[in-house]
Amino acid sequence: MTKGRKKLAVWQGFLAGWGLSLSVYILGLLLLTLLLVKGALSEGGSFPLVAALCAASALAGGLLTVRLTHWRAGGVLTAALFLSVLLLAGLGFWEEVSWLGRGGVLLLCGLAGGLLGGAAGPRKRRRRK
């Protein structure tokens, strides 16, 4: 019997990272909406915060996936799963979103967050005898 945490399957790590990415993004959008409604933030200043929120949520999910699966490419794949949901939601509900304009910037910010999540993940340590 081994000590420590039980090892998760790879798909469970991806599911946890994807869920964390979506929940951070949705909660951040709710907070951003509250700030917009209260007047603490102007409409012109909201897009940079949404882009940073997209990158931060992809980073958080990527870090969790890399930590749970010990697979460094998991950060990018989690970001791709997260961004595919954003892409499907954008194409399905908003007809006026231009994915070559600001929507494309959101996709690039999300991929950058996933790359950072994979790069900043845990490295394999050598065991000393």
Side-chain angles (χ1 to χ4, degrees):
M1 205 168 196
T2 62
K3 292 183 179 181
R5 289 184 288 147
K6 182 179 163 183
K7 188 174 179 179
L8 296 175
V10 174
W11 68 269
Q12 290 174 329
F14 278 108
L15 186 65
W18 178 70
L20 180 67
S21 292
L22 280 178
S23 46
V24 165
Y25 188 70
I26 290 172
L27 290 175
L29 284 180
L30 289 174
L31 179 64
L32 182 65
T33 304
L34 177 69
L35 290 174
L36 281 170
V37 168
K38 292 291 184 182
L41 183 65
S42 67
E43 284 187 40
S46 64
F47 180 72
L49 290 177
V50 171
L53 179 64
C54 185
S57 60
L59 174 67
L63 283 174
L64 181 66
T65 301
V66 170
R67 182 172 180 224
L68 292 177
T69 62
H70 299 290
W71 197 34
R72 306 261 330 244
V76 177
L77 292 175
T78 301
L81 285 172
F82 166 65
L83 294 174
S84 66
V85 170
L86 288 184
L87 184 65
L88 290 174
L91 289 177
F93 298 119
W94 303 305
E95 294 178 14
E96 52 194 55
V97 172
S98 168
W99 289 107
L100 296 177
R102 289 188 168 195
V105 171
L106 284 180
L107 293 177
L108 289 176
C109 287
L111 282 177
L115 284 172
L116 286 175
R123 290 166 176 51
K124 291 183 180 180
R125 296 180 184 167
R126 294 183 185 175
R127 293 187 181 192
R128 294 184 181 180
K129 292 182 181 181

